[in-house]
Amino acid sequence: MHADPATTVPTIDPADREADLRLAEGLGAPKFAQPWHAQAFGTAMALSRAGLFTWADWVDTFSRVIREEPQRPGEESNAAYYRQWETALETLLQASGVLSDADIAAAAEDWRRSYLVTPHGHPVEFRRGLEKPHDHDDDHDHHHHGHGGRRPEPISVSKPIMAKAG
Amino acid sequence: MSHSHTKPPAPIALRVKAIETLLVEKGVLNQGVVDAIVDVFEHNLGPKNGAKVVAKAWTDPAYKEWLLKDGTAAIESLGFSGFQGEYMVVVENTPDIHNVLVCTLCSCYPWPVLGLPPNWYKTAPYRSRVVLNPRSVLEEFDLHVPDNVEVRVWDSTSDVRYMVLPERPKGTEGWSEEQLAELVTRDSMIGTGVCKAA
């Protein structure tokens, strides 16, 4: 699996082209694949229009992130692109002193808790001061085996059948 | 399911939500401005805009001359303008010259006329290889540029965005602008493709 960079020509993924063709509708442009891609894109543009940074500043920072934090093995090109976009956005916000990493982390945690207290199917509203949830954490299905500190045990066991010595 | 809660999105998505929430709270951005921008990108910008520009240039020699001289103003006259006041330069394909666009640094793209770029335009292989070896990259797009045709690669930047004016397909004499616009493909305006045949 070790490709020799000197002889390997990186390919332009035809699957990407196909995906674009499927997306082409209406005005024929691709749409945002994820809501947060759109939100990150729109936020950067809105900040530039609001004068927080120039678009040249944006391109400078974004292209540096693309260079220094390239697409990872197994990462889709579009996912890499918006990861880099989000990093550039945070970089510029922190550099301008408008938001710190801690500000963003705290509000992100508030958003996470806001999701967790919202019944499924209801709109999620941003709330602060929610308690840290201990009963669920978002990414797992919970079958609460092993409560009370006991080690989990199998529900049944079939012992090995020993051949009788003849 | 017994648990009635809403599964939060990925951590990176939560950070983006956090950023917008905080910026609105601090009064840096107005509520709704991000959604408004996204809405324009998803509903108002795309290659159909560019196709109108191309079709007009094919049928109106004075407009074509203006478009090649002052792309920004000629494109804006049809109602398509940029978010950052992008300076638009239109480059014309001829029997002797084929133009193709790239942004070597990131993904600068002529949004007013083409909307959001395709994925491949944003990838490292396209950004690097089309500069070094444009003919072979164009072959991968099934575009065979004859050896005697010069290939020019244009590098978009934060303030200069290019668009290709493709060659008008043969056999379209007397066609209306609307009919002609149907033949203009996105890739023909990037230079990785040509227009549909009549």
Side-chain angles (χ1 to χ4, degrees):
Chain A
M1 295 303 285
H2 290 279
D4 176 358
T7 57
T8 306
V9 178
T11 53
I12 296 159
D13 183 2
D16 267 3
R17 293 182 62 195
E18 291 310 309
D20 285 332
L21 291 177
R22 282 197 301 275
L23 283 167
E25 53 177 81
L27 286 158
K31 297 194 177 220
F32 295 102
Q34 301 274 344
W36 74 266
H37 295 173
Q39 194 174 22
F41 185 91
T43 301
M45 202 159 292
L47 286 171
S48 159
R49 282 159 71 81
L52 198 74
F53 45 77
T54 66
W55 201 249
D57 292 337
W58 169 263
V59 167
D60 253 17
T61 304
F62 184 43
S63 47
R64 194 178 67 243
V65 173
I66 288 172
R67 223 170 35 243
E68 292 173 356
E69 302 180 25
Q71 188 176 358
R72 298 163 182 161
E75 188 179 33
E76 286 180 15
S77 64
N78 201 42
Y81 182 79
Y82 282 100
R83 170 177 57 75
Q84 292 159 339
W85 188 284
E86 197 273 342
T87 301
L89 179 60
E90 287 202 22
T91 304
L92 279 168
L93 284 169
Q94 291 174 26
S96 65
V98 172
L99 296 180
S100 70
D101 179 56
D103 294 335
I104 297 169
E109 177 60 19
D110 287 331
W111 262 116
R112 194 178 75 86
R113 293 178 191 182
S114 300
Y115 272 83
L116 291 173
V117 299
T118 303
H120 190 75
H122 289 69
V124 180
E125 280 180 37
F126 181 69
R127 287 169 62 187
R128 284 205 167 85
L130 292 168
E131 278 185 33
K132 184 174 165 49
H134 44 264
D135 200 25
H136 20 46
D137 128 25
D138 18 315
D139 289 325
H140 307 272
D141 274 331
H142 295 276
H143 306 278
H144 292 275
H145 295 308
H147 270 200
R150 287 173 294 132
R151 284 178 62 85
E153 287 171 10
I155 193 164
S156 79
V157 172
S158 170
K159 298 276 188 196
I161 300 162
M162 307 299 287
K164 282 189 176 161
Chain B
M1 295 300 289
S2 58
H3 294 304
S4 185
H5 70 272
T6 308
K7 184 174 155 49
I12 192 168
L14 290 171
R15 287 185 80 89
V16 173
K17 289 181 87 69
I19 288 168
E20 190 189 355
T21 300
L22 293 170
L23 291 172
V24 171
E25 278 182 354
K26 285 172 179 276
V28 178
L29 294 182
N30 291 325
Q31 181 78 48
V33 70
V34 171
D35 285 346
I37 289 172
V38 168
D39 188 68
V40 168
F41 270 84
E42 290 212 314
H43 299 110
N44 298 89
L45 303 182
K48 291 210 171 152
N49 295 353
K52 285 183 190 158
V53 173
V54 169
K56 187 165 180 62
W58 284 343
T59 52
D60 179 344
Y63 181 78
K64 179 179 164 182
E65 193 184 338
W66 185 26
L67 181 69
L68 294 175
K69 209 168 109 195
D70 185 352
T72 313
I75 288 168
E76 197 169 357
S77 76
L78 298 187
F80 314 130
S81 60
F83 274 87
Q84 280 78 37
E86 295 94 325
Y87 181 65
M88 293 283 311
V89 173
V90 178
V91 288
E92 184 186 14
N93 281 355
T94 69
D96 302 317
I97 296 168
H98 182 85
N99 297 286
V100 59
L101 316 183
V102 66
C103 172
T104 56
L105 288 178
C106 51
S107 55
C108 298
Y109 191 67
W111 289 323
V113 282
L114 295 186
L116 292 171
N119 273 345
W120 54 259
Y121 185 86
K122 304 184 287 189
T123 61
Y126 180 77
R127 290 186 287 111
S128 57
R129 285 180 44 221
V130 78
V131 176
L132 298 172
N133 203 342
R135 284 174 202 275
S136 100
V137 167
L138 294 178
E139 290 283 333
E140 289 171 49
F141 284 85
D142 293 325
L143 180 61
H144 311 290
V145 180
D147 288 349
N148 62 337
V149 172
E150 180 175 305
V151 177
R152 295 181 180 171
V153 183
W154 301 87
D155 190 7
S156 305
T157 64
S158 58
D159 49 14
V160 182
R161 313 293 175 97
Y162 300 93
M163 175 185 135
V164 175
L165 175 59
E167 284 189 273
R168 178 170 174 165
K170 294 192 169 54
T172 57
E173 294 75 15
W175 283 36
S176 69
E177 277 183 42
E178 289 74 23
Q179 288 172 307
L180 288 166
E182 291 293 319
L183 301 180
V184 182
T185 63
R186 176 193 69 199
D187 285 6
S188 74
M189 294 180 278
I190 302 176
T192 52
V194 290
C195 293
K196 293 180 214 162

